[in-house]
Amino acid sequence: MVREKQLEYSEFQSAMLDEAKRRRKAAKIIAVLEHFNGPLDGLTVGDVGCSAGFIADELAGAGAGHTLGIDIDVPGLRKAADRFGKRVAFICGDGTALPFPDGSLDVLVFNHIYEHVVDPDAVVAEMHRVLSDDGVLYLGLGNKLGIMEPHYKLPFLSYLPPALADRYVRAFGRADHYYERYRTRRGLRRMTRAFHVWDYTFPVLATPTAFAGGELFPGALGKLATTLLARTPRAVLKLMLPLVPTYLWVATKRPRTPAGAALPQPPERL
């Protein structure tokens, strides 16, 4: 089956319209960017795959000088422009041909998008082209070896070849076929090989109040999990990396180091 572009993704994926959840994700993204790069004040920021615009709106609210939302999801873009068009410029554009000059954006966000696009390598290459030499790219990347598939909530779904995955989602009445295509950690690093990359996965997990509030580990058990993550030797945590469901990376075109305060589990250069 030939994969076609998901032109109206927000129409069949209700999570894109969950405003509270999207804004919580935006808070995490902004906290990571500010830890690495400092405040967004005055910067030109682009959200590639913005859909209904909640994350782009939060980026604008965090002080970005110019905020751009880019997607091919026309219904989502209409909703976004109706609500947030006064402070965010929404553009219907393909990630493989971003309508910006070379080196013109200071910050880019590419959050849980790559598995939905037909050619993620081409999109990443375009983001490298339009990012400024001192710019920063935030990457939220799902892992092929994450045990629970996040869209259809079926274990080991992303492990399967396409034909078997299609049968699996149909058998449980979740979809007619399985569209998403994930990569392993090694495959993701190949996809971003033109960039210098820092891994923020464990810093966010071990210090959720600094990056994501309490949504990751709520309650008493959450506090225990956070404490354990903060104190576990990095060599032990690395054993978990192949199965971590989501990687949080910050990428730059030139070598840079995080500007923020020291953390119990610091970001690590890949």
Side-chain angles (χ1 to χ4, degrees), residues 40-115:
L40 300 180
D41 296 352
L43 300 180
T44 299
V45 180
D47 181 13
V48 179
C50 67
S51 192
F54 300 118
I55 291 176
D57 182 58
E58 290 289 331
L59 292 165
H66 300 282
T67 309
L68 308 163
I70 308 99
D71 210 314
I72 55 174
D73 175 7
V74 173
L77 288 171
R78 288 192 184 121
K79 292 181 179 73
D82 287 344
R83 288 195 60 184
F84 313 123
K86 290 185 178 180
R87 62 177 181 175
V88 179
F90 292 101
I91 301 163
C92 185
D94 191 320
T96 62
L98 293 171
F100 311 119
D102 294 0
S104 58
L105 277 68
D106 301 306
V107 177
L108 283 167
V109 172
F110 193 55
N111 186 53
H112 291 283
I113 302 298
Y114 89 90
E115 70 269 22

Side-chain angles (χ1 to χ4, degrees), residues 15 18-32 55 58 111-112 138 153 204-223 225-226 229 246 248:
D18 185 337
E19 181 167 352
K21 186 173 182 180
R22 301 297 291 173
R23 291 192 185 277
R24 288 196 299 270
K25 288 182 181 295
K28 176 175 63 180
I29 292 166
I30 291 166
V32 170
I55 291 176
E58 290 289 331
N111 186 53
H112 291 283
Y138 174 95
K153 310 302 182 186
V204 171
L205 290 174
T207 325
T209 53
F211 292 104
E215 71 161 328
L216 290 176
F217 299 116
L221 287 176
K223 290 182 179 179
T226 299
L229 283 166
T246 298
L248 305 178

Side-chain angles (χ1 to χ4, degrees), residues 2-249:
V2 177
R3 292 178 82 220
E4 297 182 355
K5 297 175 182 178
Q6 293 181 308
L7 298 176
E8 299 180 340
Y9 186 65
S10 62
E11 295 290 280
F12 58 85
Q13 181 52 262
S14 60
M16 301 306 295
L17 303 179
D18 185 337
E19 181 167 352
K21 186 173 182 180
R22 301 297 291 173
R23 291 192 185 277
R24 288 196 299 270
K25 288 182 181 295
K28 176 175 63 180
I29 292 166
I30 291 166
V32 170
L33 286 169
E34 289 184 339
H35 184 272
F36 185 88
N37 193 59
L40 300 180
D41 296 352
L43 300 180
T44 299
V45 180
D47 181 13
V48 179
C50 67
S51 192
F54 300 118
I55 291 176
D57 182 58
E58 290 289 331
L59 292 165
H66 300 282
T67 309
L68 308 163
I70 308 99
D71 210 314
I72 55 174
D73 175 7
V74 173
L77 288 171
R78 288 192 184 121
K79 292 181 179 73
D82 287 344
R83 288 195 60 184
F84 313 123
K86 290 185 178 180
R87 62 177 181 175
V88 179
F90 292 101
I91 301 163
C92 185
D94 191 320
T96 62
L98 293 171
F100 311 119
D102 294 0
S104 58
L105 277 68
D106 301 306
V107 177
L108 283 167
V109 172
F110 193 55
N111 186 53
H112 291 283
I113 302 298
Y114 89 90
E115 70 269 22
H116 299 289
V117 302
V118 176
D119 189 350
D121 296 287
V123 178
V124 170
E126 269 294 272
M127 292 192 294
H128 188 276
R129 179 185 67 80
V130 304
L131 192 67
S132 68
D133 286 342
D134 293 321
V136 177
L137 167 63
Y138 174 95
L139 295 159
L141 303 167
N143 176 16
K144 180 181 178 70
L145 300 182
I147 292 171
M148 185 63 70
E149 204 283 341
H151 300 88
Y152 302 98
K153 310 302 182 186
L154 294 171
F156 303 109
L157 173 59
S158 55
Y159 285 53
L160 300 176
L164 287 178
D166 288 347
R167 293 181 184 179
Y168 192 9
V169 294
R170 284 198 296 268
F172 282 85
R174 304 294 170 84
D176 292 330
H177 69 277
Y178 182 51
Y179 183 89
E180 289 71 20
R181 296 290 183 270
Y182 285 97
R183 300 185 183 190
T184 63
R185 182 177 175 85
R186 181 177 294 180
L188 292 168
R189 189 63 189 99
R190 279 199 301 271
M191 184 177 76
T192 58
R193 61 186 175 275
F195 288 94
H196 301 272
V197 177
W198 286 83
D199 191 342
Y200 269 78
T201 306
F202 287 135
V204 171
L205 290 174
T207 325
T209 53
F211 292 104
E215 71 161 328
L216 290 176
F217 299 116
L221 287 176
K223 290 182 179 179
L224 176 61
T226 299
T227 300
L228 289 174
L229 283 166
R231 296 179 179 177
T232 300
R234 182 57 69 94
V236 175
L237 290 178
K238 282 185 175 180
L239 298 176
M240 302 165 50
L241 276 174
L243 298 179
V244 169
T246 298
Y247 302 118
L248 305 178
W249 293 354

